[in-house]
Amino acid sequence: MAVRRFGLMALLVVLSVSFAASADARRRIALVIGNSAYRHTSPLANPRNDALDIGAELKKLDFEVIQGLDVDKAAFDRNILEFASALQGAEAGLFFFAGHGLQVAGQNYLIPVDAKLESAVALDFETVSVSVVQRAMESATDTNLLFLDACRNNPLARNLARAMGTRSAEISRGFAPVVSGIGTLISFSTQPGNVALDGTGRNSPFAAAL
């Protein structure tokens, strides 16, 4: 764990120095989302704070920050569309999400605050697939960073499991590993298949360390 943290810190230091040293640096765009106030499951204490604090730090590194706090599905989709448009021609893109997430059939999904997941088809219409965000980023820029602090214990998974019946075995703990393209770093708050901590202070352990 310490080695991974050191490696991530080293990479971010190199990136920040190279960005600052470039006299003609192009635009760097970040989408930062923190969902705390879930309407149909237990709220989370820290994601809103995590998004606010990460967003503030990114602005110090000259990122243009698109920020979403307690976003429902419609707002989440609008944020992604705005992000994808802003990324065109940018030097680098960064996505940070804090909130509930789940893994189904090896795919990772981020949960808007209005999700209920009371039917199997709801997975496609009430959540946001990480792969959608990743594809949008990799199609627009050569350097991309994704930080996913979204593997907290998710009670909505029980709703989905009931709705999926015999297919409920496809729902797994935590997030699945993701294959990234060249120039893309994806950082999870915990190892694949495990659940992350929300933390007891202002921030989650992952966001505080980041």
Side-chain angles (χ1 to χ4, degrees), residues 70-157:
D70 294 326
V71 294
D72 59 17
K73 180 59 163 60
F76 210 141
D77 289 343
R78 288 195 301 269
N79 285 156
I80 294 172
L81 186 60
E82 181 183 357
F83 183 43
S85 178
L87 282 173
Q88 299 301 318
E91 179 185 28
L94 186 149
F95 176 66
F96 174 88
F97 176 82
H100 279 311
L102 55 81
Q103 173 193 169
V104 180
Q107 297 297 311
N108 300 320
Y109 299 89
L110 309 176
I111 312 300
V113 296
D114 59 341
K116 295 182 179 179
L117 299 182
E118 293 177 340
S119 67
V121 72
L123 185 68
D124 294 322
F125 293 96
E126 295 183 2
T127 70
V128 173
S129 172
V130 172
S131 63
V132 169
V133 181
Q134 183 182 348
R135 284 198 304 270
M137 296 175 72
E138 292 180 343
S139 67
T141 59
D142 294 329
T143 302
N144 292 292
L145 307 171
L146 291 85
F147 298 99
L148 304 176
D149 192 4
C151 295
R152 297 164 170 86
N153 186 32
N154 182 8
L156 286 174

Side-chain angles (χ1 to χ4, degrees), residues 1-8 188-191 205-206 209:
M1 184 66 175
V3 172
R4 290 202 300 271
R5 284 184 177 175
F6 177 79
L8 179 58
F188 297 93
S189 53
T190 187
Q191 71 264 46
F206 179 77

Side-chain angles (χ1 to χ4, degrees), residues 160-185:
L160 186 62
R162 286 192 293 269
M164 293 179 69
T166 57
R167 291 180 54 213
S168 63
E170 297 177 5
I171 303 173
S172 303
R173 283 169 54 88
F175 272 169
V178 177
V179 177
S180 61
I182 296 174
T184 297
L185 168 72

Side-chain angles (χ1 to χ4, degrees), residues 13-115:
V13 168
V14 169
L15 286 171
S16 64
V17 170
S18 64
F19 289 159
S22 177
D24 58 348
R26 292 177 293 164
R27 295 165 61 238
R28 297 179 292 280
I29 313 297
L31 173 58
V32 179
I33 291 179
N35 280 352
S36 285
Y38 283 90
R39 302 171 190 172
H40 305 290
T41 188
S42 55
L44 296 170
N46 299 320
R48 184 183 178 92
N49 295 335
D50 296 337
L52 287 169
D53 294 346
I54 292 293
E57 291 301 317
L58 289 173
K59 289 176 182 178
K60 295 177 184 177
L61 294 174
D62 296 325
F63 275 83
E64 297 176 28
V65 177
I66 300 167
Q67 193 159 65
L69 301 173
D70 294 326
V71 294
D72 59 17
K73 180 59 163 60
F76 210 141
D77 289 343
R78 288 195 301 269
N79 285 156
I80 294 172
L81 186 60
E82 181 183 357
F83 183 43
S85 178
L87 282 173
Q88 299 301 318
E91 179 185 28
L94 186 149
F95 176 66
F96 174 88
F97 176 82
H100 279 311
L102 55 81
Q103 173 193 169
V104 180
Q107 297 297 311
N108 300 320
Y109 299 89
L110 309 176
I111 312 300
V113 296
D114 59 341

